[in-house]
Amino acid sequence: MSTIIDFRSDTVTRPSSGMRQAMADAPVGDDVYGDDPTVNRLEAKAAELLGQESGLFVTSGTQGNLLAILTHCQRGEEYIAGTKAHAYLEEGGGGAVLASVQPQPIENRPDGTLDLEAVRTAIKPDDFHLAITRLFCLENTFFGTPLPIDYLSEAKALATEHNLQFHLDGARIFNAAVSGGIAPDAIGRLFDSVSACLSKGLGAPIGSVLTGSQDFIQRARRWRKMLGGGTRQVGILAAAGLYALEHNVERLAEDHEHAARLAEGLGKIEEIEVHPAHQRTNMVFVSLSKSKEECLASFMRDRGILLTVEENPIRLVTHLDIGRKDIDETVDAFKEYFRRAA
Ligand SMILES: *Cc1c(COP(=O)(O)O)cnc(C)c1O
């Protein structure tokens, strides 16, 4: 294992030796013919875990969200999403560019929820001047915060009442489930479709799964083909995702403990403000009282600790390549930094 302690994201994990072995040993076939047994197992397993009928292995979370928009909506329709939602803000405008579906952003509250009255108001009446509101998207976890399950139920009721499709960007849905002590399918089954990343806290080198009804996944498969996403003996990669779902879900609790320990340690340093979280998963957000971010990055890099300091607040993400000792070393490095900077 590398000696670098990398807090930039949970996407930086390297496949473990067990995962690499599973990849090497995976039975494969041509997935465009539906012949890859490992892909089929992964898709079935993901669908089951997320409370959906069917699954589709996709290259990334971005591809999963785009496929959801393409499949739920027609050209000239629109999707509702948070102003800070990944599917609105961080995916190159793919819904608008490639699906011809316009976003209707609604401000996220700090806990990631959208005010449901604001959502109701944004739903367009049947008027040919207006786009047709078709899809309502939520994100869970949202910047590390799990959305309350009661809220998700209320949001689903609103979607049903207005005949909207309901999609979850569940890039980190397993963090939400483990942190809340609930089964992932208790969250997933509230939605018409759910995408989940395998390549973040779960530790796979690539891939996401999009899940939904059988009919939905069949239509999404056609769009995936159009996007150049029909791949062949891809069970080699699906094996990593399957291994991740079988071995790395429950252990997310460790990452959450490490984040809590990090938040506690950093919170004792006078110059650091740790942003409060009503329920923390694997992310810690901090602001520094002194604007010393530039030298902070190089100071930490010299000690083998990688941070993204360009953003304020600074986000630190725990994952399976960061151990308890690494957390304590990091807290000590921050203490030393401020002792020197004083
Ligand atoms: C990372 C992320 C995505 C996109 O996943 P990629 O695999 O990086 O394309 C989507 N939504 C959320 C909330 C994410 O954090």
Side-chain angles (χ1 to χ4, degrees), residues 7-267:
F7 287 102
R8 292 173 302 167
S9 177
D10 48 7
T11 56
V12 301
T13 56
R14 315 280 162 88
S16 64
S17 56
M19 183 177 279
R20 285 168 190 262
Q21 196 57 52
M23 295 170 77
D25 294 344
V28 296
D30 188 333
D31 184 47
V32 174
Y33 288 87
D35 279 354
D36 192 304
T38 308
V39 172
N40 295 342
R41 269 181 68 205
L42 169 68
E43 293 179 343
K45 171 94 183 165
E48 185 201 324
L49 283 174
L50 297 174
Q52 298 286 344
E53 264 174 27
S54 205
L56 188 66
F57 185 39
V58 297
T59 49
S60 66
T62 301
Q63 193 182 60
N65 285 333
L66 176 59
L67 288 176
I69 293 171
L70 279 162
T71 307
H72 284 305
C73 305
Q74 302 286 324
R75 183 167 173 245
E77 296 185 334
E78 71 172 11
Y79 71 104
I80 291 174
T83 45
K84 291 187 185 146
H86 204 281
Y88 165 60
L89 196 58
E90 305 267 351
E91 297 180 2
V97 175
L98 298 169
S100 299
V101 173
Q102 80 173 3
Q104 168 60 65
I106 306 273
E107 196 175 342
N108 285 103
R109 293 186 289 206
D111 66 357
T113 61
L114 309 182
D115 176 357
L116 294 179
E117 281 317 304
V119 173
R120 191 188 294 280
T121 307
I123 298 169
K124 312 279 187 287
D126 182 6
D127 174 335
F128 69 81
H129 295 87
L130 306 172
I132 299 166
T133 312
R134 180 64 65 203
L135 174 63
F136 177 16
C137 301
L138 288 173
E139 183 175 312
N140 192 18
T141 61
F142 174 81
F143 290 78
T145 301
L147 271 54
I149 193 90
D150 292 347
Y151 171 81
L152 298 180
S153 297
E154 285 167 36
K156 180 199 169 59
L158 178 70
T160 307
E161 182 190 335
H162 290 274
N163 209 15
L164 303 183
Q165 297 295 299
F166 194 33
H167 173 69
L168 181 65
D169 177 356
R172 296 188 178 85
I173 187 175
F174 293 106
N175 295 84
V178 166
S179 143
I182 49 179
D185 71 273
I187 302 172
R189 65 170 178 248
L190 296 171
F191 292 84
D192 295 303
S193 58
V194 179
S195 59
C197 284
L198 302 165
S199 60
K200 292 189 171 166
L202 297 186
I206 180 173
S208 281
V209 277
L210 176 65
T211 62
S213 70
Q214 233 160 26
D215 169 65
F216 170 85
I217 291 299
Q218 213 170 329
R219 289 182 290 123
R221 194 180 293 280
R222 178 187 294 268
W223 284 115
R224 190 188 66 174
K225 182 70 180 164
M226 271 194 248
L227 295 177
T231 48
R232 305 296 176 174
Q233 288 73 27
V234 74
I236 294 274
L237 301 177
L242 196 54
Y243 183 94
L245 290 177
E246 284 168 355
H247 296 87
N248 293 344
V249 173
E250 293 307 321
R251 67 147 305 286
L252 291 171
E254 276 175 51
D255 299 343
H256 301 169
E257 274 169 40
H258 291 155
R261 188 177 178 87
L262 181 65
E264 198 195 335
L266 295 181

